[in-house]
Amino acid sequence: MDSRTVNLDTVDQYNRLYGLETLNPLVSVVDLNKATRRVEYTRWNYGIYALFLKLEKACDIWYGRQPYDYQEGTVVCFAPGQSTEIITTSPKTQINAYGILFHPDLLAGTALGKNIKRYSFFDYEANEALHLSEEERNVILDCLKIIGTELRHDVDRYSRRLLVNYIELLLNYCTRFYERQFTMRTKANSDILIRFERLLDDYFEGHTAEREGLPSVRFFADKLCLSANYFGDMLKKETGHTPQEYIQEKIIEVAKERIDNTQQTVSQIAYSIGFQYPQHLCRLFKKRVGCTPNEYRMRKTD
């Protein structure tokens, strides 16, 4: 491992790096204003969950190949298996940030553990941080304060349940605030939708589909420089449809156009669209249109 890389596998490991106290080995609320050490690692490989509220910009973070939208008053989240790279930082810089770190073991056997994947913002990757109003920042800080208070309470049979419930409350607030942000970014989202539709057209107009097969949601998300989860959540908010549903609608549209305007067989059309097996097109077509491609063609000629 490179000397400037840290594999962050435990909560206590993070606290020791920054000289912070560990009250519970599975969860910690951190105030980086109280850090007694400065960390010069440039790459972080996460093995735990982390959520940070950054009140001032002190560094640039890259996630994959994209700069993280990480400015003043933002929330960023990381999940096990993700990596970030800090491009500019100084060991003398005071970091005005608060956060929570929790190990997956804390959630084992809980409802939150079963549903953690629903909080899709943990998988947002680039230019997708949550920008908060002052009121929203205070809500996040209040949640962190409540969790911190519970961590200082004597451990009893309610401790773990309450900690998990408070974390779930925090995540639900983040979901609400992201919903608000999607709504406020209507113009940007509209531009993304237009670009997505153009990418869809280009994919099926040439020979890309026949050569590469059916496109994935991640293919288009990458082209738009978005994570698949952020792209999916944004599109669902804007259109009421998931990217997969959108792609399938385009497939049906292309199939109908070729049935109507060419002499190609259904098999030829299926292969040209990117299906490996023609029966898969027939199944999707019947599900979406209510009849098979051949029945559709016969209706049009009657």
Side-chain angles (χ1 to χ4, degrees):
M1 181 180 69
D2 187 279
S3 61
R4 296 178 66 79
T5 298
V6 59
N7 293 326
L8 189 62
D9 296 319
T10 68
V11 168
D12 184 61
Q13 181 185 3
Y14 183 93
N15 287 335
R16 283 188 283 108
L17 286 171
Y18 281 97
L20 298 168
E21 183 182 12
T22 298
L23 299 175
N24 185 307
L26 296 181
V27 58
S28 181
V29 171
V30 298
D31 177 356
L32 290 178
N33 293 288
K34 296 179 180 179
T36 59
R37 297 175 190 156
R38 288 292 172 260
V39 178
E40 296 185 53
Y41 294 108
T42 58
R43 184 174 181 83
W44 293 74
N45 300 324
Y46 282 85
I48 60 177
Y49 291 96
L51 180 151
F52 296 102
L53 169 59
K54 191 76 165 56
L55 298 179
E56 296 175 7
K57 182 181 178 182
C59 62
D60 294 326
I61 291 183
W62 280 64
Y63 203 161
R65 294 170 296 170
Q66 299 290 332
Y68 217 123
D69 191 0
Y70 195 62
Q71 307 295 328
E72 297 85 351
T74 59
V75 167
V76 291
C77 305
F78 308 106
Q82 296 174 346
S83 297
T84 62
E85 186 174 358
I86 298 177
I87 300 298
T88 59
T89 188
S90 168
K92 297 180 181 180
T93 302
Q94 184 72 22
I95 303 176
N96 187 14
Y98 302 83
I100 183 170
L101 303 103
F102 54 98
H103 196 280
D105 287 353
L106 178 72
L107 310 182
T110 68
L112 179 58
K114 296 176 183 177
N115 297 323
I116 191 67
K117 292 296 184 182
R118 294 183 183 177
Y119 298 96
S120 51
F121 48 79
F122 275 110
D123 288 324
Y124 292 175
E125 292 182 2
N127 296 326
E128 300 162 354
L130 174 58
H131 298 261
L132 300 179
S133 67
E134 183 176 355
E135 182 178 356
E136 290 169 345
R137 295 177 207 174
N138 289 334
V139 170
I140 297 298
L141 289 172
D142 286 344
C143 287
L144 294 176
K145 183 178 179 181
I146 291 171
I147 297 171
T149 299
E150 181 58 35
L151 286 171
R152 285 177 168 77
H153 192 281
D154 291 338
V155 176
D156 58 30
R157 64 195 183 98
Y158 299 102
S159 298
R160 180 166 175 260
R161 184 190 309 171
L162 287 170
L163 285 170
V164 172
N165 286 345
Y166 290 144
I167 291 172
E168 186 171 17
L169 176 65
L170 172 64
L171 300 183
N172 284 337
Y173 272 119
C174 287
T175 300
R176 169 186 279 180
F177 298 154
Y178 257 117
E179 288 270 335
R180 183 269 308 156
Q181 182 163 289
F182 281 131
T183 301
M184 293 183 66
R185 289 185 171 182
T186 300
K187 174 62 170 63
N189 294 343
S190 178
D191 291 343
I192 291 171
L193 182 56
I194 290 171
R195 290 168 57 202
F196 174 43
E197 290 174 342
R198 287 174 180 167
L199 287 168
L200 267 174
D201 289 339
D202 291 344
Y203 195 91
F204 290 106
E205 282 177 2
H207 298 286
T208 305
E210 188 172 5
R211 184 176 63 251
E212 302 293 337
L214 294 173
S216 66
V217 173
R218 184 168 294 279
F219 171 84
F220 292 111
D222 288 345
K223 291 289 186 182
L224 296 167
C225 295
L226 299 171
S227 67
N229 275 16
Y230 186 92
F231 176 47
D233 291 345
M234 181 278 295
L235 195 70
K236 181 74 171 178
K237 181 70 177 178
E238 288 293 311
T239 70
H241 298 289
T242 67
Q244 189 62 46
E245 290 170 341
Y246 222 89
I247 292 169
Q248 289 180 353
E249 286 298 321
K250 183 64 177 181
I251 289 170
I252 296 302
E253 177 187 320
V254 172
K256 283 183 175 179
E257 189 275 331
R258 295 182 185 178
I259 290 171
D260 290 340
N261 300 307
T262 74
Q263 297 301 313
Q264 290 179 315
T265 66
V266 171
S267 292
Q268 289 172 326
I269 292 172
Y271 293 133
S272 71
I273 291 175
F275 284 94
Q276 188 175 2
Y277 303 104
Q279 58 265 37
H280 291 172
L281 170 61
C282 295
R283 189 178 304 131
L284 177 64
F285 198 95
K286 186 166 186 177
K287 178 181 177 182
R288 292 281 182 173
V289 183
C291 62
T292 67
N294 279 325
E295 289 170 343
Y296 178 82
R297 175 169 271 166
M298 291 297 295
R299 291 179 187 178
K300 298 292 287 187
T301 58
D302 286 346

